[in-house]
Amino acid sequence: MSYKFLEHATDAFIEVHARDIKEAFSVAADATINLTLDQDKVEEKQTKEFSAQGKDLRYLLFSWLEEINFVLITEGFAIRRIEFDIDRNTAYHISARAVGEQLDFKKHTFKIEIKAPTFHEMEIKHDDGVYMRFLLDL
């Protein structure tokens, strides 16, 4: 499981490789968090519940990235790790719990603010493992 930043003039363009969908969503979360702050400096002091949903995996990824950004920026909660489950009935749903602490710009080395995820250039393939790429508007 890994992620890397691809060349892009103005936004963060991220590519993810993982064994399965859950791992891919976990790696996408880590990439998003580490783009914003230094995740290794976050202590596990509190938890925050959140969820994401989508009619397909692309919409689920968009919602997932949007919710992580909301917890980080709007709620000011620095995330060390996320525990979550993905369910699928008529649509996809993620129930998640972020573990971390209140955001401290100096302690957590705040790097950049993400405005929003986008559907532009978003791609998810899952054959032998999972390949995912997405843009975050900075």
Side-chain angles (χ1 to χ4, degrees):
M1 81 177 164
S2 65
Y3 69 87
K4 67 179 179 179
F5 293 99
L6 304 173
E7 292 286 326
H8 196 275
T10 58
D11 296 323
F13 196 17
I14 301 168
E15 179 180 84
V16 171
H17 293 275
R19 291 183 300 252
D20 57 38
I21 292 294
K22 184 172 181 179
E23 185 177 87
F25 274 75
S26 179
V27 173
D30 284 343
T32 303
I33 295 163
N34 281 308
L35 181 66
T36 305
L37 54 83
D38 188 346
Q39 197 172 13
D40 292 334
K41 293 182 178 178
V42 179
E43 294 181 53
E44 296 185 8
K45 293 182 176 180
Q46 300 169 288
T47 62
K48 190 165 287 282
E49 307 281 331
F50 69 99
S51 64
Q53 49 276 328
K55 66 180 183 179
D56 59 27
L57 287 174
R58 290 181 71 237
Y59 279 86
L60 183 65
L61 178 59
F62 181 91
S63 177
W64 177 241
L65 298 172
E66 192 173 53
E67 289 300 322
I68 290 168
N69 194 47
F70 183 82
V71 170
L72 285 167
I73 304 302
T74 306
E75 295 186 346
F77 189 77
I79 302 170
R80 172 64 183 208
R81 64 183 171 85
I82 300 175
E83 301 167 350
F84 67 97
D85 289 309
I86 301 176
D87 299 315
R88 182 177 181 202
N89 290 320
T90 56
Y92 287 92
H93 184 266
I94 296 177
S95 298
R97 184 171 76 115
V99 181
E101 63 183 321
Q102 286 307 117
L103 180 62
D104 178 331
F105 289 101
K106 290 181 183 175
K107 176 183 177 183
H108 302 125
T109 315
F110 189 81
K111 300 173 187 175
I112 195 162
E113 184 174 346
I114 298 167
K115 292 180 190 171
T118 71
F119 282 104
H120 181 69
E121 301 279 350
M122 184 184 285
E123 185 177 355
I124 302 174
K125 295 179 186 176
H126 50 98
D127 297 320
D128 184 28
V130 177
Y131 170 81
M132 182 186 277
R133 71 178 189 187
F134 56 91
L135 271 172
L136 298 171
D137 183 17
L138 306 178

